[in-house]
Amino acid sequence: MFFNNPHKILEQCSLVYSFLDFVQIDTQSDPNSATTPSTQKQFDLQKLLEKKLEALGCVDIKLDDKAYLYATFPGNAPKAKVIGLMAHVDTAPDFCGTDVKPIVHNSYNGSPIILPEKDVVIDPSENEELEKCIRDSIITASGDTLLGADDKAGIAVILSALEILGNDDSISRPTLRIAFTPDEEIGRGALDFDVEGFGAYCAYTLDGGFAGEVNFETFSADKAEVTFTGVAVHPGFAKGKLVNALRYLGKFLDVLPNEESPESTEGRQGFFHPVNVKGNASEASAELILRDFDDDILAERGARLRQLASDIATSEPRLKTEVKITRQYRNMAGVLSEHPKVRDFLLQAVADAGIQPNDNPVRGGTDGSGLSAKGLPTPNIFAGGINFHGPREWISTRVMAQSVCTVLNLVQRWAEDGQ
Ligand SMILES: [Zn+2]
């Protein structure tokens, strides 16, 4: 039974009501916090979700002290593999996430959407997806906060899929493991995730953008710290003696290739990107992030960085240099290629929903990159939101419902597998 009618889905489940509820609960994470979760308020939503999962028929519900919520939705296809569905509860720290007042713009007519606060305008000329959403209901915030469709749309989509499955046992499904995680927006979502306890063959995050978007690839990422140590002398007596580390650090930053920076790359191109500098005449260092989709080219980037630093040092023998490179995360494509059905079933599920799949490499990391590296292959599925992390964030309820269709088609593919 394929699901390809989002309007019917909107009548069958509480998708929109749940979403409007969730976005009003402040769950912003905080990169400056050392605790897990980074903010206690993420528990506010988790406690509500704990109750919702129970009401939907989930068992083995567990909310741990780090704000990871796990549950099992029993299947009806005993030979099928256990499959995971995931979303994150936190919203981005980039913009205000407190007091979100969602607005539903019914039957969108194609003109610019003007939000009541701070003259914020969502302009169709800058949002090509809007013209594909004429007559849809569009949900926005009110102008002075983000909306939080990232990732409360993903949570609402998963719960709605469970609601529909729970009401119709004729839809075949594997046992589903559900997880709602904290702190994804600050890159910590996979850190304390219990892969073994989760016990799924693979999982899918519902954390992507517009209809059809699926992600099987992320950047591979390393961090580099380059330190120059000079010779500090009182400037009044420095002639022929001072070796100013700051000047050499400046030269080093200057020789980084401009054409390999984030601001001049796109698509599958990688980059060098200085993110922080500190120091004084005696010692100065820069922190950089290195990114590429190809692990070998990423390693080459590290080697080139070392070469650039040592070239600077060659010009001044009294200068010492040190380059430290640490691994951050790896492209999940490598792990996914060992499990072709994880990708194939998703592409089929999107097509079965009547949507053209749009397979985009992510120029960043996702929870899926961390989880795939920990042994749980985890691609990402669209949940509908656009303009994440800012006041112009918006979502079409029809596209959210198409995400529910995709999940329902996907679980049936896995249920049929091996029967
Ligand atoms: Zn997200």
Side-chain angles (χ1 to χ4, degrees):
M1 185 191 314
F2 291 139
F3 288 83
N4 55 16
N5 184 346
H7 301 288
K8 211 167 143 199
I9 294 283
L10 288 170
E11 288 164 13
Q12 276 179 333
C13 63
S14 44
L15 179 64
V16 176
Y17 301 102
S18 304
F19 176 72
L20 292 173
D21 253 9
F22 300 159
V23 297
Q24 293 179 67
I25 301 172
D26 180 4
T27 53
Q28 203 161 38
S29 49
D30 175 5
N32 300 314
S33 158
T35 60
T36 310
S38 66
T39 53
Q40 287 299 308
K41 59 191 176 185
Q42 295 180 65
F43 276 112
D44 297 347
L45 179 54
Q46 291 292 44
K47 285 179 183 157
L48 173 67
L49 294 175
E50 201 178 7
K51 288 193 197 113
K52 295 230 170 211
L53 288 169
E54 194 180 354
L56 287 166
C58 286
V59 295
D60 301 330
I61 302 167
K62 187 181 148 203
L63 175 58
D64 71 16
D65 59 354
K66 296 195 158 129
Y68 286 74
L69 176 59
Y70 305 96
T72 301
F73 189 74
N76 57 14
K79 288 184 196 151
K81 295 183 175 73
V82 174
I83 302 302
L85 296 173
M86 301 175 50
H88 63 89
V89 286
D90 65 316
T91 55
D94 315 47
F95 199 76
C96 176
T98 306
D99 263 334
V100 174
K101 295 179 282 293
I103 301 173
V104 183
H105 309 258
N106 284 315
S107 194
Y108 172 62
N109 66 7
S111 52
I113 300 175
I114 298 160
L115 304 183
E117 311 281 343
K118 306 206 167 164
D119 301 321
V120 170
V121 177
I122 305 174
D123 195 328
S125 68
E126 294 161 0
N127 289 259
E128 53 186 43
E129 296 88 356
L130 269 179
E131 81 175 28
K132 297 176 188 146
C133 296
I134 309 277
R135 286 190 293 279
D136 288 2
S137 292
I138 305 280
I139 303 177
T140 66
S142 56
D144 53 358
T145 66
L146 49 71
L147 173 62
D150 175 14
D151 186 25
K152 284 151 181 175
I155 299 171
V157 164
I158 292 173
L159 293 184
S160 297
L162 298 186
E163 187 181 348
I164 290 169
L165 290 171
N167 287 333
D168 185 351
D169 203 44
S170 73
I171 310 168
S172 57
R173 59 180 193 255
T175 293
L176 297 172
R177 286 285 282 158
I178 310 299
F180 297 130
T181 56
D183 292 337
E184 190 271 351
E185 297 291 0
I186 54 172
R188 301 182 199 163
L191 289 185
D192 290 291
F193 187 90
D194 178 9
V195 169
E196 205 176 312
F198 196 55
Y201 171 73
C202 67
Y204 295 88
T205 46
L206 272 295
D207 193 17
F210 199 63
E213 186 186 350
V214 284
N215 313 113
F216 304 104
E217 278 206 67
T218 58
F219 267 148
S220 282
D222 284 345
K223 189 171 83 176
E225 189 161 11
V226 179
T227 306
F228 292 102
T229 308
V231 179
V233 179
H234 186 290
F237 314 97
K239 188 166 184 189
K241 295 177 190 150
L242 173 71
V243 179
N244 189 339
L246 288 169
R247 288 191 179 269
Y248 290 94
L249 184 69
K251 288 184 193 187
F252 168 75
L253 293 174
D254 197 46
V255 295
L256 289 173
N258 269 330
E259 62 285 5
E260 293 172 68
S261 63
E263 56 271 40
S264 39
T265 51
E266 61 183 353
R268 305 186 60 85
Q269 300 165 316
F271 56 72
F272 301 93
H273 181 41
V275 291
N276 195 18
V277 292
K278 61 174 191 233
N280 51 35
S282 110
E283 187 178 289
S285 63
E287 194 184 310
L288 297 98
I289 59 172
L290 314 181
R291 298 290 185 263
D292 212 284
F293 286 97
D294 183 307
D295 290 358
D296 294 337
I297 299 179
L298 184 70
E300 252 169 53
R301 255 176 224 293
R304 280 166 62 201
L305 196 77
R306 287 181 197 283
Q307 188 59 48
L308 290 173
S310 90
D311 289 350
I312 300 279
T314 312
S315 67
E316 171 48 82
R318 290 171 294 170
L319 186 76
K320 290 198 188 92
T321 67
E322 194 192 357
V323 178
K324 224 189 285 172
I325 295 178
T326 39
R327 180 189 170 108
Q328 290 183 302
Y329 55 84
R330 286 295 174 265
N331 188 345
M332 62 181 164
V335 174
L336 289 178
S337 66
E338 294 160 25
H339 306 272
K341 285 178 184 172
V342 176
R343 175 197 174 95
D344 294 349
F345 286 0
L346 175 54
L347 290 173
Q348 286 160 0
V350 175
D352 292 341
I355 308 160
Q356 173 75 31
N358 175 18
D359 175 356
N360 267 330
V362 182
R363 290 177 66 79
T366 64
D367 270 354
S369 16
L371 293 172
S372 298
K374 285 172 93 170
L376 181 68
T378 309
N380 187 32
I381 310 178
F382 71 96
I386 301 285
N387 297 342
F388 286 172
H389 305 185
R392 293 180 180 76
E393 199 181 356
W394 63 274
I395 192 164
S396 148
T397 62
R398 178 186 56 84
V399 175
M400 240 197 301
Q402 286 184 311
S403 176
V404 177
C405 291
T406 301
V407 171
L408 293 171
N409 295 337
L410 180 65
V411 299
Q412 291 180 91
R413 289 271 173 192
W414 280 108
E416 285 154 19
D417 183 51
Q419 297 303 301

